[in-house]
């Protein structure tokens, strides 16, 4: 509903798990490219993500080459999935957004859509080798920088962080409602009481 079917779109999402990129990719109504940290472009995985159209970024998100490639994709009216935190969360919460995000928003002129992902952290946290069963919910909202947010990079990132947090909280709320309605219970560890 909130995702433009054509034109340049910058999809900004919280980053909980390795599940996030493929789930975002299959949940939107069009093909998208991905921004990925440059350290992922090694070995056989590099061939896969290059084939998928990934763009290499420094973890801080502000590399000139990565920014140029991202702007080129958006200039070609493509959709770009971008994780402004720069890395997966260690605790399930939204972290500090990287400074290159505001620059990308300003220079691209792309439509901005926020995605709040809830449940991926529980299904496959950062330190786990394999995913666990779980309920994952993605909530999308269009976002536009307000007049005050367009004055400085810091103001824009503050406004964006607040809205991304609200989008994430809405995803958590909807996930919890779904779980209650369906009677879904997360698997318990051995010896854990219900």
């Amino acid at each position: 509903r909130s995702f433009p079917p054509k034109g340049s779109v910058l999809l900004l999402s919280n980053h909980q798990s390795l599940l996030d990129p493929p789930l975002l990719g299959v949940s939107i109504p069009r093909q998208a490219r991905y921004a990925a940290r440059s350290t992922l472009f090694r070995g056989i995985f590099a061939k896969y993500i290059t084939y998928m159209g990934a763009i290499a970024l420094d973890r801080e998100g502000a590399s000139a080459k990565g920014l140029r490639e991202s702007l080129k994709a958006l200039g070609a009216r493509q959709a770009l999935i971008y994780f402004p935190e720069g890395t997966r969360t260690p605790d399930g919460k939204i972290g500090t957004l990287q400074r290159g995000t505001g620059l990308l928003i300003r220079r691209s002129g792309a439509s901005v859509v926020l995605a709040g992902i809830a449940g991926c952290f529980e299904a496959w946290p950062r330190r786990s080798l394999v995913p666990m069963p779980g309920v994952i919910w993605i909530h999308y909202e269009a976002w536009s920088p307000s007049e005050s947010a367009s004055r400085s990079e810091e103001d824009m990132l503050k406004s964006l962080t607040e809205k991304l947090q609200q989008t994430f909280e809405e995803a958590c709320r909807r996930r919890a409602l779904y779980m209650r309605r369906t009677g879904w219970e997360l698997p318990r560890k051995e010896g854990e009481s219900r």
Side-chain angles (χ1 to χ4, degrees):
R1 283 173 269 199
S2 298
F3 205 88
K6 57 186 174 182
S8 58
V9 179
L10 183 57
L11 175 60
L12 303 176
S13 177
N14 61 312
H15 199 7
Q16 294 196 327
S17 163
L18 293 173
L19 296 170
D20 300 343
L23 289 176
L24 287 168
V26 299
S27 69
I28 59 175
R30 58 188 280 198
Q31 188 173 3
R33 297 191 63 192
Y34 299 86
R37 72 174 195 259
S38 58
T39 56
L40 294 175
F41 288 79
R42 295 185 188 144
I44 194 155
F45 191 66
K47 290 181 182 188
Y48 171 71
I49 62 175
T50 300
Y51 174 77
M52 296 302 291
I55 296 168
L57 295 178
D58 289 341
R59 185 167 282 203
E60 292 77 34
S63 72
K65 184 179 179 191
L67 180 62
R68 271 195 311 274
E69 284 296 311
S70 297
L71 289 170
K72 184 177 172 184
L74 292 167
R77 304 181 58 75
Q78 295 178 337
L80 177 65
I81 296 172
Y82 187 87
F83 299 101
E85 296 163 281
T87 191
R88 288 171 287 152
T89 179
D91 58 9
K93 299 175 184 168
I94 294 178
T96 304
L97 305 190
Q98 301 299 316
R99 293 189 59 85
T101 306
L103 187 62
L104 186 58
I105 291 169
R106 279 202 180 99
R107 287 202 183 164
S108 71
S111 297
V112 178
V113 175
L114 303 182
I117 300 177
C120 280
F121 180 76
E122 293 81 3
W124 200 358
R126 189 176 191 155
R127 306 239 185 272
S128 180
L129 294 177
V130 294
M132 298 293 295
V135 173
I136 296 166
W137 197 277
I138 304 174
H139 178 71
Y140 293 97
E141 288 193 26
W143 181 76
S144 176
S146 67
E147 289 296 318
S148 63
S150 60
R151 286 190 200 138
S152 74
E153 174 97 9
E154 283 138 20
D155 287 344
M156 179 185 281
L157 289 180
K158 181 180 179 194
S159 173
L160 177 58
T161 300
E162 289 169 1
K163 187 61 177 175
L164 188 58
Q165 180 66 40
Q166 291 169 4
T167 305
F168 170 61
E169 288 170 3
E170 182 62 17
C172 291
R173 186 186 74 76
R174 291 178 183 221
R175 175 179 179 254
L177 285 172
Y178 174 83
M179 290 172 71
R180 271 196 301 272
R181 192 172 58 234
T182 61
W184 177 272
E185 287 190 37
L186 294 175
R188 305 280 184 204
K189 293 180 182 166
E190 196 172 308
E192 195 175 30
S193 64
R194 290 197 181 253

